[in-house]
Amino acid sequence: MHMIKALTLAVALVASAATAGAQTSVSRAPVLGVGPQYDTTHVYVAPDDFDRFVTSFVTTFGGITSKQGVFTVTPTPSSTMSQLVLTPVGTVSVFGFKTPIPYPFGRERTGYLVTDLDAAVRAARASGADVIVSTFNDPIGRDAIVQFPGGVNMQLYWHTTAPNYAKLQTVPENRVYVSPDRADAFIRSFVAFSAGTVTGDDAKAPGVEIGRPSDTYRRVRIASTFGNVAVLVTDGHLPYPYGRELTGYETPDLDATLARAKSAGARVLVEPYSAADRRSAVVQFPGGYIAEIHATLRN
């Protein structure tokens, strides 16, 4: 449920991206994405926690911020603090609402910059997604919110003046938890919409990745111009904090990143563990935002 706000105007918006399963391309759709640096995780925090979160996130990952401001980023009356945080490992749009948050904002996980909003909305519908907030104007462009099968909400946005952000050093993953009943429908729909490719489909991924070390589960990874998506197919029997993390961030040195996070007020909820191709941990930043952080294991 986040929206786009102005770059230097001070907004926070869209996020994130694509990953998941098999090894075949399923889409013939036109490429609507611009690049993963323009796809943001939407982070909602209380106004009192806003600055603490931004400082902690930048201390952990590095990067820069846009100017902070107060805007209306919804089609109905509301007021929120907003700021964009651009780091080498992913972008977040931060919102601190000063008014009640209009429904369904706050439930969208990411914002994706598209080349043509009307075409993107048509493509989302054609792929089987619902348009739950129809297109509306914001201070610097236009937005809509779509819901993919499995109840996965994402915001689409377009800027009147095209933004220009530095390329990412590593591409984050949008971590989507879905049921076995809706997993294939979500994968088909998102791959068709994003013109993406299923880069991995592991029916017996290590359960430690979802807090269940004695079990296995299905993990699908998808890549597209929107970035990476990890589709985590589970029965919903998840120990805390699994399922609460929206995004996974890749860093070259996990221990050094966790040390910076802790020095900036973040808490490590899941201590580092190794599984499959990565060493991972789960962290909660000031204000409540939970993220997975990992480093790729080299052979």
Side-chain angles (χ1 to χ4, degrees):
M1 64 176 87
H2 299 124
M3 307 234 87
I4 64 185
K5 240 50 298 135
L7 214 196
T8 43
L9 260 169
V11 4
L13 246 160
V14 332
S16 207
T19 130
Q23 249 156 33
T24 50
S25 177
V26 183
S27 60
R28 297 189 185 97
V31 175
L32 297 165
V34 179
Q37 68 267 41
Y38 301 101
D39 304 325
T40 74
T41 301
H42 286 188
V43 178
Y44 287 72
V45 295
D48 289 348
D49 292 325
F50 195 102
D51 291 337
R52 287 198 309 130
F53 167 74
V54 170
T55 298
S56 179
F57 200 78
V58 172
T59 299
T60 300
F61 296 118
I64 60 173
T65 66
S66 67
K67 182 181 177 182
Q68 185 185 125
V70 176
F71 306 97
T72 297
V73 301
T74 60
T76 54
S78 68
S79 178
T80 182
M81 301 166 65
S82 180
Q83 191 166 25
L84 192 65
V85 182
L86 300 123
T87 83
V89 301
T91 306
V92 296
S93 295
V94 190
F95 302 95
F97 272 80
K98 295 175 172 290
T99 61
I101 304 171
Y103 180 87
F105 293 91
R107 298 191 177 188
E108 84 285 0
R109 51 189 307 115
T110 55
Y112 284 156
L113 178 65
V114 295
T115 56
D116 182 326
L117 185 62
D118 294 326
V121 168
R122 288 194 299 270
R125 282 197 173 106
S127 77
D130 294 332
V131 179
I132 60 173
V133 177
S134 60
T135 54
F136 64 95
N137 295 331
D138 72 16
I140 57 171
R142 300 170 68 219
D143 309 78
I145 296 180
V146 299
Q147 183 178 83
F148 290 96
V152 181
N153 293 1
M154 299 185 187
Q155 187 166 329
L156 308 176
Y157 75 101
W158 173 84
H159 280 331
T160 304
T161 301
N164 183 17
Y165 306 155
K167 287 187 177 181
L168 301 176
Q169 292 178 7
T170 58
V171 177
E173 65 182 12
N174 193 341
R175 294 173 62 83
V176 176
Y177 285 76
V178 293
S179 72
D181 295 336
R182 299 299 282 159
D184 289 334
F186 170 79
I187 293 163
R188 284 194 302 270
S189 177
F190 187 79
V191 167
F193 166 76
S194 66
T197 301
V198 172
T199 60
D201 190 342
D202 189 346
K204 294 187 179 298
V208 67
E209 297 176 353
I210 57 170
R212 290 165 50 176
S214 300
D215 299 324
T216 61
Y217 77 108
R218 182 185 178 196
R219 185 213 323 113
V220 179
R221 288 176 174 163
I222 301 167
S224 76
T225 53
F226 291 110
N228 298 325
V229 173
V231 185
L232 311 175
V233 185
T234 82
D235 58 10
H237 297 187
L238 299 169
Y240 181 84
Y242 296 96
R244 300 291 182 184
E245 81 284 10
L246 296 181
T247 301
Y249 300 97
E250 181 180 352
T251 65
D253 186 331
L254 179 62
D255 292 327
T257 301
L258 294 179
R260 291 193 300 271
K262 288 189 282 190
S263 74
R267 291 193 302 135
V268 177
L269 301 180
V270 176
E271 293 292 336
Y273 65 89
S274 296
D277 58 352
R278 61 177 58 171
R279 184 164 175 261
S280 307
V282 180
V283 167
Q284 184 174 48
F285 290 93
Y289 176 60
I290 296 174
E292 188 261 12
I293 304 174
H294 62 270
T296 300
L297 294 174
R298 312 291 179 186
N299 292 330

